[in-house]
Amino acid sequence: MDSPAIGRYPVPSLSELPDDIRARMLAVQEKAGFIPNVFLTLAHRPDEFRAFFAYHDALMLKEGGLTKAEREMIVVATSGANDCLYCIVAHGAILRVYAKNPLVADQVAANYRKADITERQKAMLAFALKVALRSIELVESDFDKLRAHGFSDEDIWDIGAITAFFALSNRMANLIAMRPNDEFFLLGRLPKK
Amino acid sequence: MDSPAIGRYPVPSLSELPDDIRARMLAVQEKAGFIPNVFLTLAHRPDEFRAFFAYHDALMLKEGGLTKAEREMIVVATSGANDCLYCIVAHGAILRVYAKNPLVADQVAANYRKADITERQKAMLAFALKVALRSIELVESDFDKLRAHGFSDEDIWDIGAITAFFALSNRMANLIAMRPNDEFFLLGRLPKK
Amino acid sequence: MDSPAIGRYPVPSLSELPDDIRARMLAVQEKAGFIPNVFLTLAHRPDEFRAFFAYHDALMLKEGGLTKAEREMIVVATSGANDCLYCIVAHGAILRVYAKNPLVADQVAANYRKADITERQKAMLAFALKVALRSIELVESDFDKLRAHGFSDEDIWDIGAITAFFALSNRMANLIAMRPNDEFFLLGRLPKK
Amino acid sequence: MDSPAIGRYPVPSLSELPDDIRARMLAVQEKAGFIPNVFLTLAHRPDEFRAFFAYHDALMLKEGGLTKAEREMIVVATSGANDCLYCIVAHGAILRVYAKNPLVADQVAANYRKADITERQKAMLAFALKVALRSIELVESDFDKLRAHGFSDEDIWDIGAITAFFALSNRMANLIAMRPNDEFFLLGRLPKK
Amino acid sequence: MDSPAIGRYPVPSLSELPDDIRARMLAVQEKAGFIPNVFLTLAHRPDEFRAFFAYHDALMLKEGGLTKAEREMIVVATSGANDCLYCIVAHGAILRVYAKNPLVADQVAANYRKADITERQKAMLAFALKVALRSIELVESDFDKLRAHGFSDEDIWDIGAITAFFALSNRMANLIAMRPNDEFFLLGRLPKK
Amino acid sequence: MDSPAIGRYPVPSLSELPDDIRARMLAVQEKAGFIPNVFLTLAHRPDEFRAFFAYHDALMLKEGGLTKAEREMIVVATSGANDCLYCIVAHGAILRVYAKNPLVADQVAANYRKADITERQKAMLAFALKVALRSIELVESDFDKLRAHGFSDEDIWDIGAITAFFALSNRMANLIAMRPNDEFFLLGRLPKK
């Protein structure tokens, strides 16, 4: 049986890709054991690919007041609100790995209010969901609520910017009909050996 | 009287900016006569600045089946749906200039169905608004409707990707409380001398 | 080239109109330099025309605690929420003229929270938007919030009644596909000579 | 025990009213046996009162392709969608009387699709609800659907304009907290003796 | 003339029903004078019928801190929010009978905020509507608001569980197109002789 | 460390439960290896417990045109739309087991349009989501669409009734803050040994 398509658009073969993009894919494959479909499907447009991952790295790999797990929580909660299959499954896996917690991703994707996270993290996700769904209504008191939990203004930029970036990413995934790799569904659910 | 702030976050002075970012700003200023606040406010985070404009240029400056005015129509219509003040005003100005039409931006921002545009352009904006607001519901027949108007699959990617990029941009503008430069309000409304 | 239609329904010629309606139109034309399309399109139904403008005048020309510019702000903000092209453009122009401010109309139409207006005016528009969009949820504390800003109960009636009247007006404009006169787009944007 | 207030604003006594307004009230009282609270509460503002009822009469008492019962159906269905207590109860009573049907008002207020009305009337109410709730989305094919049921363009104006007028009326009733007269609840529910 | 159908699915005759179901219907008929259509239409599936009424009785007939009228208020308010014709009309009738009040059902179905009920009852209905429409957002402070009105945690379970049961019931009535018996429309509207 | 609470209400110990309820729990434990929290939390109210599971069994264990996996798909898709954490996780597990497919539950919970299911199953879920979210809008053509896929009217009752039952169940789970057992998260994700 054929594998299901990983997206609506043609997927370039590794050999026809520009060197920098192929190098990035091989590096991911080396580390994760497979190439996530977001790399393969976005490579259809090399310039957009480069900008997308430059933006991603600037937000997700930087230093700052948010842990890597918290950054992924923002992705999973807002992608859940946008019902983006690819991002829920792929970033849910990454969240499980970073948080070393097999339950938290499914919790946050459905309802962060019931998740096994701190009150500070719940405030962070409430803000993120407002940015995702009703950003016009942001007012100063929304910022104050986060400051009361110890978030700096730079942290708040991070929360809002990660949400904004995945507003883009969710729509691209739905446009392309990006399929999550099978590997993501199980990743981080079993105790490390 | 002091000028109103152009955003919630500190705005770096030109002299403290990295060379590449300052160069880009000076080039824009040379061409437009002023520096749009999106450059000044996003420069607070140089890496994100670079990724943002690389993405922007990849989508808005590329060749393809959409005219520059059509690309801006997508920005204005979806920013109108998201009630993003900065993007409506700034890209409304750019749309007026590219379309050489002083009316079309206000029309498209309020209700593209009543705008002085073609049926093909209305179909393009109906698709863009679906990507902006309900991308989970995209199905094959949405693509077929655009193909019936002569859009290629690459054009459709452009429509969806521009919409996705401004989903990010609208949220950043609302997060930062980005203020449109006064110049944009009038730009493109008067006949060229 | 033919001018675009100004509405879906037949527009009577001035000569076939009842005297009182023609007189009103000529008076407006004398003052504004053109006849706004709301007069021409609604004249298709003389009795409704008379009631419409009697209602309009009772609300917009009366004395009271709201300035003329504030009354127009209510129109622009609620018409923005209803995406009514005619009212945003036509009353946006009137607002610019009354407020002697070329920026405020576009700001209020998109997001009053970011407009160059007072906190008192923002409270007024928050109430107006609740009347426009969720009037069933009005409770006593909504009135108290306005009283705290110094609005009298008569002022509050004005705010609510202007909003209610333009709920009617927005729907009529969308029903008729009322086209804003080209003149409105530029009105009030240039410094008075 | 005191009667509950019929609204948030002062209600003038008959003796202090302008003659024309008092005359209208007495005429209604003569005919109906009581004065509906919409007259009493709106009389607080005589000029608005006059415009309101002039508009009402122009739409509800005119000749045309819609029966009186059909005009009231539009009021009840759209007031149901807006959850306006006064209009549902008062116009529900009038609808029962005109339609000589004790069931139809409660049916139409809850869900016109299940009411004992014709397919033509269901199409009329579907259009009215679109004007009430999403008038920006009105397109030519909405008009064609009504024409296919034999509605003329003048009938369609009536449907839309009645809906628009009660968009105003519903918001005024909610603003004022207008209380339906007790008499309306039972009116038209019992067989005429 | 034929009577209108009472639902989309076949309705069994009394004689073909299982004994327990027939017995329940006859008991209701004895007491009310007619068999409500919810019994006749759900009898198409005897096992579901039994579970439905066992659940109903467990919630509506039990002892506790809520009066029978208050239980019916919850049904009417949430069925109003769900626009369920059968439940609004049938339970509206029952509410009028229990509350000995001919007005309260129509008030609560349209807008509980304007009904002739206590502040405690308004708090109860605000909670019920949150369970009906946005149960994901329930947080501890919602429970605290009810406790402040003297509701015990068992009372709160009752409020939530009645709402949840009629979320089921409303959807079944809409699925089946369950028609309210004509008798319900008038029940409880006339003074007891 | 204490285990997190499995719900807001007291959970009875097995020994204090009525015999029939304890017997059911032990039977489930025997089969599944653990007692799902829906049993433990609902046992706080024995009469409601009995009605709940009688209803559940009548719908989920009956014969008919829907497979067991299809019944669970309906639960997972509608619980996803209602963001009910317990039902997504618990019934997602059951769906994986019945469908012998480790991916389908996460797919259906996020967006059934992109799931690895048949067109017939997608039509089934489109109908279920309409019952869950907008049941007032159900019309005859919705039934016709399912009939075109070979569903009988009894199958359609099943689809609608399962959806209606989980509208209840989702709200109870959110009311109680029902916590999914840890076991469910992994169940059905690994190949059977």
Side-chain angles (χ1 to χ4, degrees):
Chain A
M1 202 185 84
D2 286 346
S3 302
I6 66 170
R8 273 200 185 93
Y9 282 84
V11 173
S13 64
L14 279 182
S15 62
E16 57 186 324
L17 284 173
D19 287 349
D20 61 321
I21 293 180
R22 184 173 51 243
R24 173 137 195 177
M25 287 201 198
L26 294 175
V28 173
Q29 188 175 35
E30 172 84 18
K31 192 175 163 199
F34 62 97
I35 304 177
N37 290 336
V38 66
F39 291 92
L40 293 166
T41 53
L42 291 185
H44 177 60
R45 292 272 184 106
D47 286 347
E48 297 169 38
F49 178 102
R50 291 182 189 105
F52 182 93
F53 288 103
Y55 218 136
H56 174 277
D57 294 354
L59 292 168
M60 303 303 280
L61 306 185
K62 76 186 279 286
E63 298 297 304
L66 308 182
T67 66
K68 282 192 174 179
E70 285 169 342
R71 289 169 202 269
E72 295 295 333
M73 273 179 209
I74 295 168
V75 180
V76 173
T78 60
S79 299
N82 285 330
D83 295 312
C84 176
L85 176 58
Y86 185 87
C87 295
I88 294 171
V89 171
H91 288 272
I94 303 173
L95 171 53
R96 286 189 295 271
V97 170
Y98 283 151
K100 299 187 204 314
N101 178 335
L103 310 184
V104 69
D106 294 335
Q107 292 171 342
V108 162
N111 186 356
Y112 75 88
R113 297 166 197 81
K114 306 281 174 58
D116 297 334
I117 59 178
T118 64
E119 288 305 306
R120 183 178 183 272
Q121 289 166 336
K122 289 182 186 176
M124 175 186 80
L125 296 180
F127 185 92
L129 286 168
K130 189 164 185 181
V131 176
L133 301 176
R134 308 174 281 125
S135 71
I136 185 186
E137 297 179 20
L138 285 171
V139 286
E140 202 55 28
S141 62
D142 294 308
F143 288 72
D144 289 337
K145 279 182 209 159
L146 288 189
R147 289 171 191 136
H149 280 284
F151 289 104
S152 70
D153 282 12
E154 294 305 309
D155 295 337
I156 300 176
W157 176 301
D158 285 351
I159 298 168
I162 292 168
T163 302
F165 180 73
F166 281 88
L168 178 160
S169 183
N170 289 174
R171 283 161 182 78
M172 285 308 296
N174 282 335
L175 176 74
I176 296 178
M178 205 182 283
R179 180 182 174 87
N181 306 57
D182 291 5
E183 288 87 344
F184 281 126
F185 290 79
L186 190 59
L187 203 68
R189 295 190 183 275
L190 295 169
K192 269 244 162 120
K193 290 164 227 178
Chain B
M1 202 186 81
D2 287 346
S3 302
I6 66 172
R8 273 200 186 91
Y9 282 85
V11 173
S13 64
L14 280 182
S15 62
E16 55 185 324
L17 286 172
D19 288 349
D20 61 321
I21 293 181
R22 185 174 49 243
R24 170 134 198 181
M25 286 202 199
L26 294 175
V28 173
Q29 188 175 34
E30 172 84 19
K31 191 175 165 200
F34 62 97
I35 304 179
N37 290 336
V38 65
F39 290 92
L40 293 166
T41 53
L42 291 186
H44 178 60
R45 293 273 183 104
D47 287 347
E48 297 169 38
F49 179 103
R50 290 183 189 104
F52 182 93
F53 288 103
Y55 217 136
H56 174 277
D57 294 354
L59 291 168
M60 303 302 280
L61 306 183
K62 75 186 281 284
E63 299 296 304
L66 307 182
T67 66
K68 282 191 175 181
E70 285 169 343
R71 289 170 203 268
E72 294 296 334
M73 272 179 210
I74 296 168
V75 180
V76 174
T78 60
S79 299
N82 286 330
D83 295 313
C84 176
L85 176 59
Y86 185 87
C87 296
I88 294 171
V89 171
H91 288 272
I94 303 173
L95 171 53
R96 286 190 295 271
V97 170
Y98 283 151
K100 298 185 204 316
N101 178 334
L103 309 184
V104 69
D106 294 335
Q107 292 171 343
V108 163
N111 186 354
Y112 75 87
R113 296 166 196 82
K114 305 282 174 57
D116 297 332
I117 57 177
T118 64
E119 288 306 307
R120 183 178 184 271
Q121 288 166 338
K122 289 183 185 176
M124 173 186 81
L125 296 179
F127 185 91
L129 285 169
K130 189 164 185 182
V131 175
L133 301 177
R134 310 175 279 123
S135 71
I136 186 188
E137 296 179 21
L138 285 171
V139 286
E140 202 55 29
S141 62
D142 295 308
F143 288 72
D144 289 338
K145 280 181 208 158
L146 288 190
R147 288 171 192 138
H149 280 284
F151 289 104
S152 71
D153 282 12
E154 293 305 310
D155 295 336
I156 300 176
W157 177 300
D158 284 351
I159 298 168
I162 292 168
T163 302
F165 179 73
F166 281 89
L168 177 159
S169 183
N170 289 174
R171 283 160 182 77
M172 285 308 296
N174 282 334
L175 176 74
I176 295 178
M178 204 183 283
R179 181 182 172 86
N181 305 58
D182 291 6
E183 289 86 344
F184 281 126
F185 289 78
L186 191 59
L187 204 67
R189 294 190 183 275
L190 295 169
K192 271 249 165 115
K193 289 164 229 179
Chain C
M1 199 186 83
D2 287 346
S3 301
I6 65 171
R8 272 199 185 93
Y9 282 85
V11 173
S13 64
L14 279 182
S15 61
E16 56 186 325
L17 285 172
D19 287 349
D20 61 321
I21 292 180
R22 185 174 49 243
R24 171 133 198 180
M25 287 201 197
L26 294 175
V28 173
Q29 188 175 33
E30 173 84 18
K31 192 175 162 200
F34 62 95
I35 305 178
N37 290 336
V38 65
F39 291 92
L40 293 166
T41 53
L42 291 185
H44 178 61
R45 292 274 184 104
D47 287 348
E48 297 169 38
F49 178 102
R50 291 182 189 105
F52 183 92
F53 287 103
Y55 217 137
H56 174 275
D57 294 353
L59 291 168
M60 303 302 281
L61 307 183
K62 76 185 280 287
E63 299 296 305
L66 307 182
T67 65
K68 283 191 175 181
E70 285 170 342
R71 289 170 204 269
E72 294 296 334
M73 271 179 211
I74 296 168
V75 181
V76 173
T78 60
S79 299
N82 286 330
D83 295 312
C84 176
L85 175 59
Y86 185 86
C87 297
I88 294 171
V89 172
H91 288 273
I94 303 173
L95 171 53
R96 285 190 295 270
V97 170
Y98 283 152
K100 300 187 203 315
N101 178 334
L103 309 184
V104 70
D106 294 335
Q107 291 171 343
V108 163
N111 186 355
Y112 75 88
R113 297 167 197 80
K114 304 282 175 57
D116 296 333
I117 58 177
T118 65
E119 287 306 306
R120 184 179 183 270
Q121 289 166 338
K122 289 182 187 177
M124 174 185 81
L125 296 180
F127 185 91
L129 286 169
K130 189 164 184 181
V131 175
L133 301 177
R134 308 175 280 125
S135 70
I136 186 189
E137 295 179 21
L138 285 171
V139 286
E140 202 56 27
S141 62
D142 295 308
F143 287 72
D144 289 338
K145 278 181 210 159
L146 289 189
R147 288 171 192 137
H149 280 284
F151 290 104
S152 70
D153 282 12
E154 293 305 310
D155 295 337
I156 300 176
W157 177 301
D158 285 351
I159 298 168
I162 292 168
T163 302
F165 180 73
F166 281 89
L168 177 159
S169 184
N170 290 173
R171 283 160 182 78
M172 285 308 297
N174 282 335
L175 176 74
I176 296 177
M178 204 182 283
R179 180 182 174 86
N181 306 57
D182 291 5
E183 289 86 345
F184 282 126
F185 289 78
L186 190 59
L187 206 66
R189 294 190 183 274
L190 295 170
K192 269 245 163 119
K193 292 164 227 179
Chain D
M1 202 186 83
D2 287 345
S3 302
I6 66 172
R8 273 200 185 92
Y9 282 84
V11 173
S13 65
L14 279 183
S15 61
E16 56 185 327
L17 286 172
D19 288 348
D20 61 320
I21 292 181
R22 185 174 49 242
R24 170 133 198 180
M25 287 202 197
L26 294 175
V28 173
Q29 189 175 34
E30 173 83 19
K31 191 174 163 200
F34 63 96
I35 305 178
N37 290 337
V38 66
F39 291 92
L40 293 166
T41 53
L42 291 186
H44 178 61
R45 293 273 183 105
D47 287 348
E48 297 170 36
F49 179 103
R50 290 183 189 104
F52 183 93
F53 287 103
Y55 217 136
H56 174 276
D57 294 353
L59 292 168
M60 303 302 281
L61 307 184
K62 75 184 281 284
E63 299 296 304
L66 307 182
T67 66
K68 282 190 175 181
E70 285 169 342
R71 288 170 204 268
E72 294 295 333
M73 271 179 211
I74 295 168
V75 181
V76 173
T78 60
S79 299
N82 286 328
D83 295 311
C84 177
L85 175 59
Y86 185 87
C87 296
I88 294 171
V89 172
H91 287 274
I94 303 173
L95 171 53
R96 286 190 295 270
V97 170
Y98 283 152
K100 299 186 203 313
N101 178 333
L103 310 184
V104 68
D106 294 336
Q107 292 170 343
V108 163
N111 185 355
Y112 75 87
R113 296 167 197 80
K114 304 282 174 57
D116 296 333
I117 58 177
T118 64
E119 287 306 306
R120 183 179 184 271
Q121 289 166 337
K122 289 183 186 176
M124 174 185 81
L125 296 179
F127 185 91
L129 286 169
K130 188 163 185 182
V131 175
L133 301 176
R134 309 174 280 124
S135 70
I136 186 189
E137 296 179 20
L138 285 171
V139 285
E140 203 54 30
S141 61
D142 295 307
F143 288 72
D144 289 339
K145 280 182 209 159
L146 288 189
R147 289 172 192 136
H149 280 283
F151 290 104
S152 71
D153 281 11
E154 294 305 310
D155 295 337
I156 299 176
W157 177 300
D158 285 351
I159 297 168
I162 292 169
T163 301
F165 180 73
F166 281 89
L168 177 160
S169 183
N170 290 174
R171 282 161 184 77
M172 285 307 297
N174 282 335
L175 175 74
I176 296 177
M178 205 182 282
R179 182 182 172 86
N181 305 58
D182 290 6
E183 290 86 343
F184 281 127
F185 289 79
L186 191 59
L187 204 67
R189 294 191 183 275
L190 295 169
K192 269 249 163 113
K193 290 165 231 182
Chain E
M1 200 185 84
D2 286 346
S3 301
I6 66 172
R8 273 200 184 91
Y9 282 83
V11 173
S13 64
L14 279 182
S15 61
E16 55 186 325
L17 286 172
D19 288 350
D20 62 321
I21 292 180
R22 185 173 50 243
R24 171 137 197 177
M25 285 200 197
L26 294 174
V28 173
Q29 188 175 36
E30 174 82 18
K31 192 175 163 199
F34 63 96
I35 304 177
N37 290 337
V38 65
F39 290 93
L40 293 166
T41 52
L42 291 185
H44 178 61
R45 292 273 184 105
D47 287 347
E48 296 170 37
F49 178 103
R50 290 182 189 105
F52 183 93
F53 287 103
Y55 217 137
H56 174 276
D57 294 354
L59 291 168
M60 303 302 280
L61 307 184
K62 76 186 279 285
E63 297 297 305
L66 307 182
T67 66
K68 282 192 174 180
E70 286 169 341
R71 290 170 202 269
E72 295 294 335
M73 271 179 212
I74 296 168
V75 181
V76 173
T78 59
S79 299
N82 286 330
D83 295 312
C84 176
L85 176 59
Y86 185 86
C87 297
I88 293 171
V89 171
H91 288 273
I94 303 173
L95 171 53
R96 285 190 296 270
V97 170
Y98 283 151
K100 299 187 204 313
N101 178 334
L103 310 184
V104 69
D106 294 335
Q107 292 171 344
V108 162
N111 186 356
Y112 75 88
R113 296 167 198 80
K114 305 282 174 57
D116 297 332
I117 58 177
T118 64
E119 288 306 306
R120 183 179 183 270
Q121 289 166 337
K122 288 182 187 176
M124 175 186 81
L125 296 179
F127 185 91
L129 285 169
K130 189 164 185 182
V131 175
L133 301 176
R134 309 174 281 125
S135 71
I136 186 188
E137 296 179 20
L138 285 171
V139 286
E140 202 55 28
S141 62
D142 295 308
F143 288 71
D144 289 337
K145 280 182 208 159
L146 289 189
R147 288 170 193 137
H149 280 283
F151 289 104
S152 71
D153 282 12
E154 294 305 311
D155 295 337
I156 300 176
W157 177 299
D158 284 351
I159 297 168
I162 292 169
T163 301
F165 180 73
F166 281 89
L168 177 160
S169 184
N170 290 174
R171 282 160 183 77
M172 286 306 297
N174 281 336
L175 176 74
I176 296 177
M178 205 183 282
R179 181 182 173 87
N181 305 57
D182 291 5
E183 289 87 345
F184 281 127
F185 289 79
L186 191 58
L187 204 68
R189 294 190 182 274
L190 295 169
K192 270 246 162 120
K193 289 164 232 178
Chain F
M1 201 186 82
D2 286 347
S3 302
I6 66 171
R8 274 200 185 90
Y9 282 85
V11 173
S13 65
L14 279 183
S15 62
E16 54 186 326
L17 285 172
D19 288 349
D20 61 321
I21 293 180
R22 186 174 47 244
R24 170 133 198 180
M25 286 201 198
L26 294 174
V28 173
Q29 188 174 35
E30 172 84 18
K31 193 174 163 199
F34 62 97
I35 305 178
N37 290 337
V38 65
F39 292 92
L40 293 166
T41 54
L42 291 185
H44 178 60
R45 293 273 184 103
D47 287 347
E48 297 169 37
F49 178 103
R50 290 182 188 104
F52 183 92
F53 288 103
Y55 217 135
H56 174 276
D57 294 353
L59 291 168
M60 303 303 280
L61 307 184
K62 74 185 283 285
E63 299 296 306
L66 308 182
T67 66
K68 283 191 174 180
E70 285 169 341
R71 289 170 203 269
E72 295 295 335
M73 271 180 212
I74 296 168
V75 180
V76 173
T78 60
S79 299
N82 286 329
D83 295 312
C84 176
L85 175 59
Y86 185 86
C87 296
I88 293 171
V89 172
H91 288 273
I94 304 174
L95 171 53
R96 285 190 294 271
V97 171
Y98 283 151
K100 298 185 204 313
N101 178 335
L103 310 184
V104 69
D106 294 335
Q107 292 171 343
V108 162
N111 186 355
Y112 75 88
R113 296 167 197 81
K114 304 281 175 58
D116 297 332
I117 58 177
T118 64
E119 288 305 307
R120 183 178 184 270
Q121 288 166 338
K122 289 183 186 177
M124 175 185 80
L125 296 179
F127 185 91
L129 285 169
K130 189 164 185 182
V131 175
L133 300 176
R134 308 176 281 124
S135 71
I136 185 188
E137 296 179 20
L138 285 171
V139 285
E140 202 55 29
S141 61
D142 294 308
F143 288 72
D144 289 338
K145 279 181 208 159
L146 288 189
R147 288 172 191 136
H149 280 284
F151 290 104
S152 71
D153 282 11
E154 293 306 309
D155 295 336
I156 299 175
W157 176 301
D158 285 351
I159 297 168
I162 292 168
T163 301
F165 180 73
F166 281 89
L168 178 159
S169 183
N170 290 174
R171 283 160 183 79
M172 286 307 296
N174 281 335
L175 176 74
I176 296 177
M178 204 182 283
R179 182 183 173 85
N181 307 56
D182 291 5
E183 289 86 345
F184 282 127
F185 290 79
L186 191 59
L187 204 67
R189 294 190 183 274
L190 296 169
K192 270 249 164 113
K193 289 163 231 180

